[in-house]
C-alpha cells in the first residue's frame, strides 16, 4: 500500500532528522549525545524513508554510499587514535583546543570529535545494512 | 612504545574491515590478508622480547588512569599466548586455501572473519580488565558463530546450534558476574580487583560474582562437565575453521583461568585449586574416553581437545611454579600439535572426500609427507620423547608427584597411553595398509596445504629438542604469575600509584 501522507511526511522529516542528528553529534562532547546516538537517529530517518518508498529501493540507492561510510567511518576513528600514537602518547589520547572566532566566540575542537564522526558514519552504515537485510532488501517491495 | 600492546588487536580489526571491502577481488584479498598477518606476527615478537625478560607492558588507553579508563597489559603469559596463537593461525590461513572448493563463495568470507576472530582472541589475551575481556569474548564469538556455520548445511546448523546457545548463555552469566564484582569493589580492572582482595574484607556478593566468572571461563575452556558443546560442533565446521578453533578458542578459556586464578587467590592455594585438580583430572579421562568412541578423523581429534585442556588446567591447579610452567608449556605445545593433526587429517579427508574412518586407507604409502606430519604430531600429543609433548607431560608428572597428588598424576599418565591408542585408531585405519579410496590424490601434493602442516610438525620437533630453554622461559613466566605482585604493581604504577603507596597499603593489612 502506498500512503501519500507517509510519502509527504518522509520527504519533510528526512532533512530535519539528519540536522537534529548532526546537532546531537556536535553537542556530544560535553553533554548527552555523541556519534553513536546521532547515527541511530539518522538511521531512523532512513527507515522512515524506506517504509515510504520501499526498503529495496532505499537500500539500493544508498548501497555504495553505505559501504563508503563504513570504511571512512572506521578509518576516521582509527586515525583519531593514531594521531596520539604519532605524538608519542597512548592510543586514543584526546587533544583539544579553542579556535577563537571574531568577537568573543570560540569553537571548541578536539580529536575526539574526529573519532565521534567516524563512529557516526560507521553506525549509520552498519545499522542500515542490517535493517535492509532483515527487511528483505534483496526483493522488490511495492 | 607502549602502543605496541594494542597493535595486534588494532591491526587485525582494521584488516578485517579492509578485507571485507575487498570481497570481490579474491586475489588482492589473500595478499592483504597474509601481509597484515605477517605484521601481526612481527608485533607479537615485539611484545615477546621485553616481556620474557620480566617486564610488564601497560597501555592506559587515551591516557586515563586504570580505575576509570581502559588498560591493556602484556606480561609474559599474554605475550606467549599471542605469539603462538598468531604463528599457528598464520599457518592455518595459508593452509585454508586448499580446503575450500573452487568457486566456493564461502572462502571470500573466511579471510575477514579470520582477522575479526584474531582481534577478539588477541584482545582477550591483552586486556587488563574483566569488562573488556567480555567485549573481546563477544567479538571472538561473533566471528566464530559466522565461521562455524560457513556453508550452512542443515546438519551443520543443527550440530552447531548448541555451541551458539551455550556461548550466549555463558556471555550473559559472565556479564552478571562482572556486574557483581563492579558493584562490590567498584572496579573491573583485574589488578585493582586483585589488590582489593588482598587488602579488604569483601562481601559474599563479590565472591558469587567471581564464582560466576570462573564458571564461564571453565565453560569456554571446555572443562568437565561443561564441555558438551564442543565435540559435535567443531568437526562439522569446515576444516580450516576446525583447525583455527582447535588452536585458539578453548585456549582462550585456558588462558583466562591462568590469568585470573593467581590474581584472585593472591598466589595462595585454596578451594579453587582443589576443585580444579579434581575437574582437570576428570576432564582428561572423560575427554580421552569420549575420543576413543568416535569414528571420524576430526571427530576423534576434536573430542581430544577436551582431554588436553584437562592437562593444562591440572598444571595450573597444582599451583607450584614447576607445575604452572609445565601447564603453560603444555598449552603452547598443544596449540601447535593439535592444529597440525587436524591439518594433516584434513588433507586425508580432502583426498578421500569424507572424514569417516575407513573411507580412505593407506595414505602413508601414497603420500608419505602427510603421514609423516600426522605421525610426528600424534606421537607428540601422546607425550613420547623426543617430541614436544614429552616435556609437558614429564614436568607435569614430576610436579604432580612432588605436590603429593598421586591419584590425579597417575590418571594423567594413564590418559597418555589412552591418547596413544586413539591416535593409533586413526593411524591404522587412514594411514596404514593398502591404499584405497583415494579419490583426489592431488590434494595430498598441494604445497599450500602440505607446507604449513609440515612446519607445525617441525615446530613440535624443535620444541622437543629445545625443551630446556623453553622450559626455562616458562618458569620465568610461571614464577611471575604466581608471585602476582609484578602484574599488579605494573598496572598500578602505570596508573600513577607509587611503589611506596602500594607497600603501605599492603602493610596496613598485615598489621
Amino acid at each position: 500500500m502506498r500512503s501519500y501522507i507517509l510519502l509527504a511526511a518522509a520527504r519533510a522529516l528526512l532533512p530535519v532528522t539528519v540536522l537534529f542528528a548532526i546537532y546531537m553529534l556536535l553537542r556530544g562532547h560535553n553533554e548527552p549525545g555523541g556519534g553513536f546516538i546521532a547515527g541511530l537517529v539518522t538511521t531512523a530517518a532512513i527507515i522512515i524513508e524506506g517504509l515510504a518508498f520501499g526498503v529495496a529501493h532505499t537500500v539500493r540507492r544508498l548501497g555504495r554510499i553505505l559501504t563508503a561510510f563504513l570504511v571512512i567511518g572506521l578509518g576516521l576513528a582509527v586515525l583519531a587514535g593514531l594521531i596520539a600514537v604519532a605524538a608519542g602518547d597512548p592510543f586514543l589520547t584526546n587533544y583539544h583546543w579553542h579556535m577563537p572566532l571574531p568577537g568573543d566566540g570560540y569553537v571548541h575542537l578536539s580529536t575526539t570529535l574526529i573519532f565521534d564522526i567516524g563512529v557516526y558514519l560507521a553506525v549509520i552504515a552498519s545499522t542500515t545494512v542490517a535493517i535492509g537485510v532483515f527487511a528483505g532488501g534483496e526483493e522488490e517491495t511495492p | 612504545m607502549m602502543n605496541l600492546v594494542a597493535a595486534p588487536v588494532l591491526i587485525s580489526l582494521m584488516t578485517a574491515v579492509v578485507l571485507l571491502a575487498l570481497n570481490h577481488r579474491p586475489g588482492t584479498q589473500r595478499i592483504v590478508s597474509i601481509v597484515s598477518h605477517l605484521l601481526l606476527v612481527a608485533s607479537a615478537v615485539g611484545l615477546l622480547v621485553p616481556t620474557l625478560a620480566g617486564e610488564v607492558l601497560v597501555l592506559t588507553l587515551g591516557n586515563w588512569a586504570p580505575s576509570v579508563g581502559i588498560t591493556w597489559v602484556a606480561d609474559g603469559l599474554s605475550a606467549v599466548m599471542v605469539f603462538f596463537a598468531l604463528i599457528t593461525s598464520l599457518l592455518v590461513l595459508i593452509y585454508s586455501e586448499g580446503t575450500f572448493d573452487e568457486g566456493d563463495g564461502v572462502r571470500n568470507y573466511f579471510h575477514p572473519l579470520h582477522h575479526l576472530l584474531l582481534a577478539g582472541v588477541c584482545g582477550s589475551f591483552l586486556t587488563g580488565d574483566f569488562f573488556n575481556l567480555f567485549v573481546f569474548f563477544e567479538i571472538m564469538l561473533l566471528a566464530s558463530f559466522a565461521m562455524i556455520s560457513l556453508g550452512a548445511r542443515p546438519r551443520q546448523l543443527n550440530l552447531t546450534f548448541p555451541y551458539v546457545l551455550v556461548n550466549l548463555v555463558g556471555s550473559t552469566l559472565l556479564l552478571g558476574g562482572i556486574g557483581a564484582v563492579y558493584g562490590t569493589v567498584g572496579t573491573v580492572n583485574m589488578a585493582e580487583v586483585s589488590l582489593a582482595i588482598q587488602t579488604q574484607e569483601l562481601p559474599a556478593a563479590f565472591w558469587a560474582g567471581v564464582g560466576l566468572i570462573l564458571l564461564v571461563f571453565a565453560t569456554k575452556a571446555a572443562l568437565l562437565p561443561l564441555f558438551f558443546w564442543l565435540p559435535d560442533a567443531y568437526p562439522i565446521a569446515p576444516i580450516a575453521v576446525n583447525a583455527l578453533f582447535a588452536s585458539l578458542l578453548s585456549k582462550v578459556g585456558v588462558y583466562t583461568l591462568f590469568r585470573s586464578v593467581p590474581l584472585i587467590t593472591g598466589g595462595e592455594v585454596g578451594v579453587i585449586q582443589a576443585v580444579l585438580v579434581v575437574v582437570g583430572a576428570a576432564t582428561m579421562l572423560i575427554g580421552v574416553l569420549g575420543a576413543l568412541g568416535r569414528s571420524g578423523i576430526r571427530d576423534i581429534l576434536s573430542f581430544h581437545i577436551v582431554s588436553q585442556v584437562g592437562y593444562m588446567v591440572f598444571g595450573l591447579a597444582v599451583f607450584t611454579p614447576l607445575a604452572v610452567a609445565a601447564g603453560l608449556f603444555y598449552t603452547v605445545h598443544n596449540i601447535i600439535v593439535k592444529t597440525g593433526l587436524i591439518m594433516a587429517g584434513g588433507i586425508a579427508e580432502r583426498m578421500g572426500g569424507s572424514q569417516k574412518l575407513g573411507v580412505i586407507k593407506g595414505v602413508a604409502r601414497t603420500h608419505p609427507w602427510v603421514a609423516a606430519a600426522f605421525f610426528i604430531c600424534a606421537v607428540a600429543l601422546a607425550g613420547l620423547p623426543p617430541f614436544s609433548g614429552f616435556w609437558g607431560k614429564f614436568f607435569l608428572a614430576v610436579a604432580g608427584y612432588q605436590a603429593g597428588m598421586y591419584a590425579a598424576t597417575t590418571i594423567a599418565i594413564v590418559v597418555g597411553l589412552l591418547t596413544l591408542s586413539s591416535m593409533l585408531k586413526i593411524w591404522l585405519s587412514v594411514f596404514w595398509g593398502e591404499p584405497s579410496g583415494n579419490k583426489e590424490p592431488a590434494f595430498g601434493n598441494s604445497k599450500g596445504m602440505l607446507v604449513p602442516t609440515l612446519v607445525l610438525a617441525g615446530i613440535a620437533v624443535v620444541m622437543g629438542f629445545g625443551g630446556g630453554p623453553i622450559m626455562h622461559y616458562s618458569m620465568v613466566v610461571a614464577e611471575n604469575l604466581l608471585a602476582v605482585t609484578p602484574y599488579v604493581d605494573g598496572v598500578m604504577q602505570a596508573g600513577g600509584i607509587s611503589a611506596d603507596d602500594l607497600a603501605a597499603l599492603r602493610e596496613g593489612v598485615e598489621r
Side-chain angles (χ1 to χ4, degrees), chain A residues 70-71 74 78 82 84-85 88-94, chain B residues 1 3 6 10 14 17 20-21 59-64:
Chain A
L70 190 66
V71 175
L74 289 167
V78 174
L82 289 181
V85 175
D89 283 322
F91 186 69
L92 283 177
T93 304
N94 175 41
Chain B
M1 270 306 285
N3 282 308
L10 291 176
M14 283 189 282
V17 176
L20 208 53
L59 168 67
T60 48
L61 208 60
N63 229 349
W64 296 94

PDB file of all heavy atoms in Angstrom, chain A residues 70-71 74 78 82 84-85 88-94, chain B residues 1 3 6 10 14 17 20-21 59-64:
ATOM      1  N   LEU A  70      31.064   3.114   5.916  1.00  0.00           N
ATOM      2  CA  LEU A  70      31.630   2.136   6.843  1.00  0.00           C
ATOM      3  C   LEU A  70      33.153   2.238   6.857  1.00  0.00           C
ATOM      4  O   LEU A  70      33.788   2.355   7.912  1.00  0.00           O
ATOM      5  CB  LEU A  70      31.202   0.722   6.437  1.00  0.00           C
ATOM      6  CG  LEU A  70      31.514  -0.373   7.431  1.00  0.00           C
ATOM      7  CD1 LEU A  70      30.705  -0.176   8.691  1.00  0.00           C
ATOM      8  CD2 LEU A  70      31.241  -1.743   6.856  1.00  0.00           C
ATOM      9  N   VAL A  71      33.729   2.243   5.659  1.00  0.00           N
ATOM     10  CA  VAL A  71      35.187   2.259   5.567  1.00  0.00           C
ATOM     11  C   VAL A  71      35.744   3.595   6.064  1.00  0.00           C
ATOM     12  O   VAL A  71      36.677   3.646   6.879  1.00  0.00           O
ATOM     13  CB  VAL A  71      35.634   1.955   4.128  1.00  0.00           C
ATOM     14  CG1 VAL A  71      37.135   2.087   3.993  1.00  0.00           C
ATOM     15  CG2 VAL A  71      35.196   0.555   3.727  1.00  0.00           C
ATOM     16  N   LEU A  74      35.239   3.934  10.004  1.00  0.00           N
ATOM     17  CA  LEU A  74      36.208   3.200  10.814  1.00  0.00           C
ATOM     18  C   LEU A  74      37.604   3.784  10.621  1.00  0.00           C
ATOM     19  O   LEU A  74      38.385   3.876  11.567  1.00  0.00           O
ATOM     20  CB  LEU A  74      36.171   1.717  10.446  1.00  0.00           C
ATOM     21  CG  LEU A  74      34.910   1.000  10.919  1.00  0.00           C
ATOM     22  CD1 LEU A  74      34.779  -0.354  10.256  1.00  0.00           C
ATOM     23  CD2 LEU A  74      34.929   0.840  12.423  1.00  0.00           C
ATOM     24  N   VAL A  78      39.992   5.232  13.692  1.00  0.00           N
ATOM     25  CA  VAL A  78      41.358   4.759  13.947  1.00  0.00           C
ATOM     26  C   VAL A  78      42.343   5.911  13.820  1.00  0.00           C
ATOM     27  O   VAL A  78      43.264   6.065  14.629  1.00  0.00           O
ATOM     28  CB  VAL A  78      41.717   3.614  12.972  1.00  0.00           C
ATOM     29  CG1 VAL A  78      43.167   3.233  13.126  1.00  0.00           C
ATOM     30  CG2 VAL A  78      40.821   2.416  13.231  1.00  0.00           C
ATOM     31  N   LEU A  82      45.359   7.249  16.094  1.00  0.00           N
ATOM     32  CA  LEU A  82      46.751   7.209  15.633  1.00  0.00           C
ATOM     33  C   LEU A  82      47.432   8.569  15.729  1.00  0.00           C
ATOM     34  O   LEU A  82      48.655   8.640  15.806  1.00  0.00           O
ATOM     35  CB  LEU A  82      46.815   6.683  14.193  1.00  0.00           C
ATOM     36  CG  LEU A  82      46.511   5.189  14.040  1.00  0.00           C
ATOM     37  CD1 LEU A  82      46.628   4.763  12.588  1.00  0.00           C
ATOM     38  CD2 LEU A  82      47.439   4.337  14.891  1.00  0.00           C
ATOM     39  N   ALA A  84      47.438  10.383  18.259  1.00  0.00           N
ATOM     40  CA  ALA A  84      48.112  10.332  19.558  1.00  0.00           C
ATOM     41  C   ALA A  84      49.361   9.465  19.490  1.00  0.00           C
ATOM     42  O   ALA A  84      50.389   9.801  20.086  1.00  0.00           O
ATOM     43  CB  ALA A  84      47.158   9.795  20.622  1.00  0.00           C
ATOM     44  N   VAL A  85      49.277   8.361  18.757  1.00  0.00           N
ATOM     45  CA  VAL A  85      50.447   7.480  18.633  1.00  0.00           C
ATOM     46  C   VAL A  85      51.591   8.236  17.971  1.00  0.00           C
ATOM     47  O   VAL A  85      52.745   8.156  18.402  1.00  0.00           O
ATOM     48  CB  VAL A  85      50.087   6.221  17.822  1.00  0.00           C
ATOM     49  CG1 VAL A  85      51.330   5.367  17.599  1.00  0.00           C
ATOM     50  CG2 VAL A  85      49.026   5.408  18.551  1.00  0.00           C
ATOM     51  N   GLY A  88      53.390  10.316  20.237  1.00  0.00           N
ATOM     52  CA  GLY A  88      54.107   9.603  21.291  1.00  0.00           C
ATOM     53  C   GLY A  88      53.290   9.366  22.545  1.00  0.00           C
ATOM     54  O   GLY A  88      53.837   8.979  23.576  1.00  0.00           O
ATOM     55  N   ASP A  89      51.979   9.615  22.491  1.00  0.00           N
ATOM     56  CA  ASP A  89      51.117   9.359  23.649  1.00  0.00           C
ATOM     57  C   ASP A  89      50.377   8.045  23.443  1.00  0.00           C
ATOM     58  O   ASP A  89      50.369   7.500  22.349  1.00  0.00           O
ATOM     59  CB  ASP A  89      50.104  10.503  23.795  1.00  0.00           C
ATOM     60  CG  ASP A  89      50.740  11.738  24.395  1.00  0.00           C
ATOM     61  OD1 ASP A  89      51.578  11.567  25.294  1.00  0.00           O
ATOM     62  OD2 ASP A  89      50.421  12.857  23.954  1.00  0.00           O
ATOM     63  N   PRO A  90      49.726   7.519  24.519  1.00  0.00           N
ATOM     64  CA  PRO A  90      48.937   6.298  24.331  1.00  0.00           C
ATOM     65  C   PRO A  90      47.838   6.482  23.282  1.00  0.00           C
ATOM     66  O   PRO A  90      47.309   7.582  23.121  1.00  0.00           O
ATOM     67  CB  PRO A  90      48.325   6.059  25.714  1.00  0.00           C
ATOM     68  CG  PRO A  90      49.250   6.716  26.655  1.00  0.00           C
ATOM     69  CD  PRO A  90      49.790   7.906  25.926  1.00  0.00           C
ATOM     70  N   PHE A  91      47.548   5.405  22.604  1.00  0.00           N
ATOM     71  CA  PHE A  91      46.498   5.361  21.580  1.00  0.00           C
ATOM     72  C   PHE A  91      45.218   6.023  22.106  1.00  0.00           C
ATOM     73  O   PHE A  91      44.835   5.815  23.252  1.00  0.00           O
ATOM     74  CB  PHE A  91      46.242   3.890  21.233  1.00  0.00           C
ATOM     75  CG  PHE A  91      45.293   3.663  20.097  1.00  0.00           C
ATOM     76  CD1 PHE A  91      45.658   3.997  18.808  1.00  0.00           C
ATOM     77  CD2 PHE A  91      44.045   3.116  20.318  1.00  0.00           C
ATOM     78  CE1 PHE A  91      44.794   3.769  17.750  1.00  0.00           C
ATOM     79  CE2 PHE A  91      43.172   2.887  19.279  1.00  0.00           C
ATOM     80  CZ  PHE A  91      43.550   3.226  17.992  1.00  0.00           C
ATOM     81  N   LEU A  92      44.586   6.836  21.268  1.00  0.00           N
ATOM     82  CA  LEU A  92      43.291   7.475  21.580  1.00  0.00           C
ATOM     83  C   LEU A  92      43.368   8.629  22.580  1.00  0.00           C
ATOM     84  O   LEU A  92      42.341   9.106  23.043  1.00  0.00           O
ATOM     85  CB  LEU A  92      42.262   6.456  22.095  1.00  0.00           C
ATOM     86  CG  LEU A  92      41.602   5.566  21.039  1.00  0.00           C
ATOM     87  CD1 LEU A  92      40.673   4.571  21.714  1.00  0.00           C
ATOM     88  CD2 LEU A  92      40.827   6.387  20.026  1.00  0.00           C
ATOM     89  N   THR A  93      44.591   9.097  22.929  1.00  0.00           N
ATOM     90  CA  THR A  93      44.668  10.272  23.804  1.00  0.00           C
ATOM     91  C   THR A  93      43.998  11.455  23.122  1.00  0.00           C
ATOM     92  O   THR A  93      44.161  11.670  21.925  1.00  0.00           O
ATOM     93  CB  THR A  93      46.140  10.607  24.106  1.00  0.00           C
ATOM     94  OG1 THR A  93      46.759   9.469  24.673  1.00  0.00           O
ATOM     95  CG2 THR A  93      46.238  11.774  25.076  1.00  0.00           C
ATOM     96  N   ASN A  94      43.236  12.221  23.883  1.00  0.00           N
ATOM     97  CA  ASN A  94      42.467  13.336  23.323  1.00  0.00           C
ATOM     98  C   ASN A  94      43.278  14.638  23.372  1.00  0.00           C
ATOM     99  O   ASN A  94      43.913  14.949  24.373  1.00  0.00           O
ATOM    100  CB  ASN A  94      41.170  13.494  24.131  1.00  0.00           C
ATOM    101  CG  ASN A  94      40.392  14.705  23.681  1.00  0.00           C
ATOM    102  OD1 ASN A  94      40.293  14.967  22.488  1.00  0.00           O
ATOM    103  ND2 ASN A  94      39.858  15.440  24.628  1.00  0.00           N
TER     104      ASN A  94
ATOM    105  N   MET B   1      57.553   2.305  23.701  1.00  0.00           N
ATOM    106  CA  MET B   1      56.411   2.193  22.770  1.00  0.00           C
ATOM    107  C   MET B   1      55.298   1.333  23.358  1.00  0.00           C
ATOM    108  O   MET B   1      55.113   0.179  23.007  1.00  0.00           O
ATOM    109  CB  MET B   1      56.884   1.572  21.455  1.00  0.00           C
ATOM    110  CG  MET B   1      57.343   2.589  20.438  1.00  0.00           C
ATOM    111  SD  MET B   1      56.099   3.871  20.121  1.00  0.00           S
ATOM    112  CE  MET B   1      54.922   2.961  19.125  1.00  0.00           C
ATOM    113  N   ASN B   3      52.246   1.636  22.935  1.00  0.00           N
ATOM    114  CA  ASN B   3      51.152   1.412  21.987  1.00  0.00           C
ATOM    115  C   ASN B   3      51.239   0.049  21.311  1.00  0.00           C
ATOM    116  O   ASN B   3      50.260  -0.424  20.750  1.00  0.00           O
ATOM    117  CB  ASN B   3      51.143   2.511  20.930  1.00  0.00           C
ATOM    118  CG  ASN B   3      50.528   3.779  21.482  1.00  0.00           C
ATOM    119  OD1 ASN B   3      49.430   3.755  22.013  1.00  0.00           O
ATOM    120  ND2 ASN B   3      51.259   4.865  21.382  1.00  0.00           N
ATOM    121  N   ALA B   6      48.595  -2.585  21.998  1.00  0.00           N
ATOM    122  CA  ALA B   6      47.305  -2.604  21.303  1.00  0.00           C
ATOM    123  C   ALA B   6      47.451  -3.030  19.848  1.00  0.00           C
ATOM    124  O   ALA B   6      46.444  -3.290  19.184  1.00  0.00           O
ATOM    125  CB  ALA B   6      46.646  -1.235  21.382  1.00  0.00           C
ATOM    126  N   LEU B  10      44.502  -3.875  16.977  1.00  0.00           N
ATOM    127  CA  LEU B  10      44.166  -2.834  16.003  1.00  0.00           C
ATOM    128  C   LEU B  10      44.446  -3.297  14.582  1.00  0.00           C
ATOM    129  O   LEU B  10      43.632  -3.100  13.681  1.00  0.00           O
ATOM    130  CB  LEU B  10      44.960  -1.561  16.301  1.00  0.00           C
ATOM    131  CG  LEU B  10      44.531  -0.869  17.585  1.00  0.00           C
ATOM    132  CD1 LEU B  10      45.432   0.320  17.873  1.00  0.00           C
ATOM    133  CD2 LEU B  10      43.082  -0.429  17.473  1.00  0.00           C
ATOM    134  N   MET B  14      41.475  -3.645  11.771  1.00  0.00           N
ATOM    135  CA  MET B  14      41.482  -2.854  10.538  1.00  0.00           C
ATOM    136  C   MET B  14      41.555  -3.757   9.317  1.00  0.00           C
ATOM    137  O   MET B  14      40.893  -3.521   8.315  1.00  0.00           O
ATOM    138  CB  MET B  14      42.664  -1.877  10.553  1.00  0.00           C
ATOM    139  CG  MET B  14      42.411  -0.673  11.438  1.00  0.00           C
ATOM    140  SD  MET B  14      43.680   0.569  11.243  1.00  0.00           S
ATOM    141  CE  MET B  14      44.997  -0.116  12.215  1.00  0.00           C
ATOM    142  N   VAL B  17      38.202  -5.157   8.301  1.00  0.00           N
ATOM    143  CA  VAL B  17      37.350  -4.204   7.577  1.00  0.00           C
ATOM    144  C   VAL B  17      37.805  -4.073   6.123  1.00  0.00           C
ATOM    145  O   VAL B  17      36.998  -4.137   5.193  1.00  0.00           O
ATOM    146  CB  VAL B  17      37.379  -2.832   8.276  1.00  0.00           C
ATOM    147  CG1 VAL B  17      36.585  -1.816   7.481  1.00  0.00           C
ATOM    148  CG2 VAL B  17      36.832  -2.956   9.670  1.00  0.00           C
ATOM    149  N   LEU B  20      36.919  -7.068   4.065  1.00  0.00           N
ATOM    150  CA  LEU B  20      35.502  -7.136   3.732  1.00  0.00           C
ATOM    151  C   LEU B  20      35.225  -6.280   2.494  1.00  0.00           C
ATOM    152  O   LEU B  20      34.458  -6.661   1.610  1.00  0.00           O
ATOM    153  CB  LEU B  20      34.681  -6.643   4.918  1.00  0.00           C
ATOM    154  CG  LEU B  20      33.291  -7.214   5.061  1.00  0.00           C
ATOM    155  CD1 LEU B  20      33.334  -8.725   5.051  1.00  0.00           C
ATOM    156  CD2 LEU B  20      32.671  -6.718   6.356  1.00  0.00           C
ATOM    157  N   ALA B  21      35.897  -5.129   2.434  1.00  0.00           N
ATOM    158  CA  ALA B  21      35.715  -4.254   1.278  1.00  0.00           C
ATOM    159  C   ALA B  21      36.308  -4.868   0.013  1.00  0.00           C
ATOM    160  O   ALA B  21      35.889  -4.556  -1.095  1.00  0.00           O
ATOM    161  CB  ALA B  21      36.337  -2.884   1.558  1.00  0.00           C
ATOM    162  N   LEU B  59      49.450  -0.285  28.757  1.00  0.00           N
ATOM    163  CA  LEU B  59      48.987   0.836  27.937  1.00  0.00           C
ATOM    164  C   LEU B  59      47.684   1.338  28.545  1.00  0.00           C
ATOM    165  O   LEU B  59      46.707   0.612  28.653  1.00  0.00           O
ATOM    166  CB  LEU B  59      48.731   0.376  26.498  1.00  0.00           C
ATOM    167  CG  LEU B  59      47.990   1.361  25.602  1.00  0.00           C
ATOM    168  CD1 LEU B  59      48.822   2.591  25.335  1.00  0.00           C
ATOM    169  CD2 LEU B  59      47.598   0.711  24.287  1.00  0.00           C
ATOM    170  N   THR B  60      47.707   2.601  29.008  1.00  0.00           N
ATOM    171  CA  THR B  60      46.466   3.188  29.520  1.00  0.00           C
ATOM    172  C   THR B  60      45.834   3.938  28.364  1.00  0.00           C
ATOM    173  O   THR B  60      46.280   5.009  27.992  1.00  0.00           O
ATOM    174  CB  THR B  60      46.745   4.137  30.680  1.00  0.00           C
ATOM    175  OG1 THR B  60      47.804   5.007  30.282  1.00  0.00           O
ATOM    176  CG2 THR B  60      47.156   3.391  31.920  1.00  0.00           C
ATOM    177  N   LEU B  61      44.795   3.348  27.803  1.00  0.00           N
ATOM    178  CA  LEU B  61      44.201   3.859  26.570  1.00  0.00           C
ATOM    179  C   LEU B  61      43.693   5.285  26.784  1.00  0.00           C
ATOM    180  O   LEU B  61      42.976   5.544  27.752  1.00  0.00           O
ATOM    181  CB  LEU B  61      43.054   2.941  26.164  1.00  0.00           C
ATOM    182  CG  LEU B  61      42.745   2.863  24.685  1.00  0.00           C
ATOM    183  CD1 LEU B  61      43.947   2.367  23.916  1.00  0.00           C
ATOM    184  CD2 LEU B  61      41.570   1.944  24.441  1.00  0.00           C
ATOM    185  N   GLY B  62      44.078   6.210  25.865  1.00  0.00           N
ATOM    186  CA  GLY B  62      43.637   7.586  25.994  1.00  0.00           C
ATOM    187  C   GLY B  62      44.210   8.289  27.205  1.00  0.00           C
ATOM    188  O   GLY B  62      43.758   9.363  27.581  1.00  0.00           O
ATOM    189  N   ASN B  63      45.235   7.673  27.832  1.00  0.00           N
ATOM    190  CA  ASN B  63      45.908   8.266  28.985  1.00  0.00           C
ATOM    191  C   ASN B  63      45.011   8.417  30.213  1.00  0.00           C
ATOM    192  O   ASN B  63      45.225   9.290  31.045  1.00  0.00           O
ATOM    193  CB  ASN B  63      46.503   9.630  28.618  1.00  0.00           C
ATOM    194  CG  ASN B  63      47.941   9.719  29.081  1.00  0.00           C
ATOM    195  OD1 ASN B  63      48.399   8.854  29.827  1.00  0.00           O
ATOM    196  ND2 ASN B  63      48.649  10.740  28.646  1.00  0.00           N
ATOM    197  N   TRP B  64      43.981   7.607  30.341  1.00  0.00           N
ATOM    198  CA  TRP B  64      43.138   7.636  31.540  1.00  0.00           C
ATOM    199  C   TRP B  64      43.690   6.650  32.551  1.00  0.00           C
ATOM    200  O   TRP B  64      44.192   5.595  32.189  1.00  0.00           O
ATOM    201  CB  TRP B  64      41.697   7.246  31.196  1.00  0.00           C
ATOM    202  CG  TRP B  64      41.021   8.200  30.277  1.00  0.00           C
ATOM    203  CD1 TRP B  64      40.950   8.120  28.924  1.00  0.00           C
ATOM    204  CD2 TRP B  64      40.317   9.394  30.642  1.00  0.00           C
ATOM    205  NE1 TRP B  64      40.249   9.182  28.424  1.00  0.00           N
ATOM    206  CE2 TRP B  64      39.850   9.974  29.458  1.00  0.00           C
ATOM    207  CE3 TRP B  64      40.041  10.001  31.865  1.00  0.00           C
ATOM    208  CZ2 TRP B  64      39.115  11.164  29.445  1.00  0.00           C
ATOM    209  CZ3 TRP B  64      39.316  11.181  31.855  1.00  0.00           C
ATOM    210  CH2 TRP B  64      38.859  11.751  30.658  1.00  0.00           C
TER     211      TRP B  64
END
